[in-house]
Amino acid sequence: KKFISQCSKLIDTYGLDGVDIDWEYPGKATSNNIGYSSSDKANLTKMMKTFRETFDKYYKSRPKILSIDVSAKHPDYYDMKGLSKYVDFVNIMTYDMGDPPYHNAPLHSSSMTKGSCNSSMIDYMDAGVPASKILMGIPFYGHANGSNSELKADVSYFEVKKLIEKKDKYTEKWDDDACVPYLVWKGQTTNICSFENASSIAAKCKYIKNKGLGGAMVWSYDHDDSNGTLRKALRKGLWGY
């Protein structure tokens, strides 16, 4: 309740739209040794319930958004049926699903995937989340194999564009099944850099609209290029302009 009270003060001070909770991950041990407890899952649901009750009480005339970020592959980390009662949106972090030669955020499965946005959407709907509350996570960055200074492990879209321009070294490819682009060494076929572009975002927007999902969220704004290529593609894909 103290935490929620502090969040409300920030909302009031800065005129914010609401609160987004990103707990990685309730009740599960992680590689970075974050403490956890078997009661985390239930406590998260209780906290979101208290958030909702607080928001409904104090913001009747100006409703506030309550959302939660969740793992792409593990709806079992959460009490999704319980959480769905209290949150406006469930932001599924459908990225970091693979490093080259696998794709970072494929829409569908292919020979180069370890998961997909489609399978994540299905898993969460099966877990009890209404489609209208689901936001598909779209990365504005990619993953490379880190084999040289140009191919660092995490690569922003504006950095990928510079690599694409080096046609003597890299070739841009498209995975028809996964609906995402990737780079290979010139004259070779192995995926060395998985990323997003306007075409892959357009495909994801079409999927979002066809499935009746709530929309999309991105990570993160600063990875886009100076022209806003990816965010403009997202806006056009969802809103038509």
Side-chain angles (χ1 to χ4, degrees):
K1 288 182 178 179
K2 184 176 181 180
F3 171 61
I4 292 169
S5 175
Q6 293 297 316
C7 288
S8 294
K9 288 180 180 179
L10 287 172
I11 288 173
D12 295 338
T13 300
Y14 298 106
L16 305 181
D17 294 320
V19 171
D20 177 56
I21 298 296
D22 182 4
W23 186 341
E24 302 182 24
Y25 296 100
K28 298 292 179 182
T30 58
S31 58
N32 50 5
N33 297 316
I34 293 175
Y36 74 100
S37 165
S38 59
S39 61
D40 284 347
K41 182 189 289 190
N43 284 338
L44 174 59
T45 303
K46 290 178 182 178
M47 184 178 73
M48 301 308 270
K49 179 177 184 291
T50 308
F51 256 119
R52 181 84 278 156
E53 292 170 346
T54 302
F55 281 9
D56 289 348
K57 181 178 181 180
Y58 292 105
Y59 300 111
K60 288 183 179 180
S61 61
R62 46 195 179 101
K64 298 300 179 182
I65 295 170
L66 182 61
S67 61
I68 186 168
D69 302 329
V70 296
S71 163
K73 297 182 180 180
H74 294 283
D76 57 300
Y77 286 177
Y78 319 88
D79 169 21
M80 291 314 310
K81 287 185 178 180
L83 288 170
S84 294
K85 298 176 184 177
Y86 309 118
V87 301
D88 298 293
F89 298 112
V90 174
N91 303 324
I92 304 179
M93 297 184 286
T94 37
Y95 35 75
D96 298 335
M97 289 188 280
D99 293 319
Y102 300 100
H103 294 307
N104 178 37
L107 179 57
H108 296 289
S109 297
S110 79
S111 60
M112 290 185 281
T113 63
K114 287 187 173 182
S116 71
C117 296
N118 177 57
S119 61
S120 294
M121 303 303 113
I122 292 171
D123 287 346
Y124 275 91
M125 284 188 278
D126 287 347
V129 184
S132 60
K133 289 192 173 187
I134 290 176
L135 303 190
M136 180 189 292
I138 297 178
F140 282 5
Y141 68 93
H143 284 318
N145 65 5
S147 58
N148 63 37
S149 59
E150 287 187 330
L151 292 175
K152 56 185 181 180
D154 296 318
V155 55
S156 299
Y157 177 66
F158 65 84
E159 295 172 312
V160 173
K161 286 182 63 178
K162 294 178 181 178
L163 298 180
I164 293 173
E165 292 173 356
K166 299 181 178 181
K167 299 186 183 301
D168 59 323
K169 296 180 66 175
Y170 308 102
T171 301
E172 183 178 1
K173 298 282 189 177
W174 177 263
D175 186 329
D176 288 328
D177 294 324
C179 297
V180 286
Y182 62 102
L183 294 182
V184 301
W185 293 115
K186 184 175 177 63
Q188 299 185 24
T189 59
T190 301
N191 174 7
I192 60 170
C193 181
S194 172
F195 60 99
E196 298 291 315
N197 63 12
S199 296
S200 64
I201 288 179
K204 288 176 177 176
C205 288
K206 183 177 180 180
Y207 177 98
I208 288 168
K209 294 168 76 172
N210 287 343
K211 296 293 184 180
L213 304 184
M217 66 91 169
V218 303
W219 186 268
S220 64
Y221 191 87
D222 58 313
H223 290 295
D224 203 356
D225 65 17
S226 59
N227 294 323
T229 299
L230 300 186
R231 59 183 180 268
K232 288 177 181 177
L234 184 59
R235 184 184 67 189
K236 183 176 181 180
L238 293 180
W239 298 338
Y241 65 92

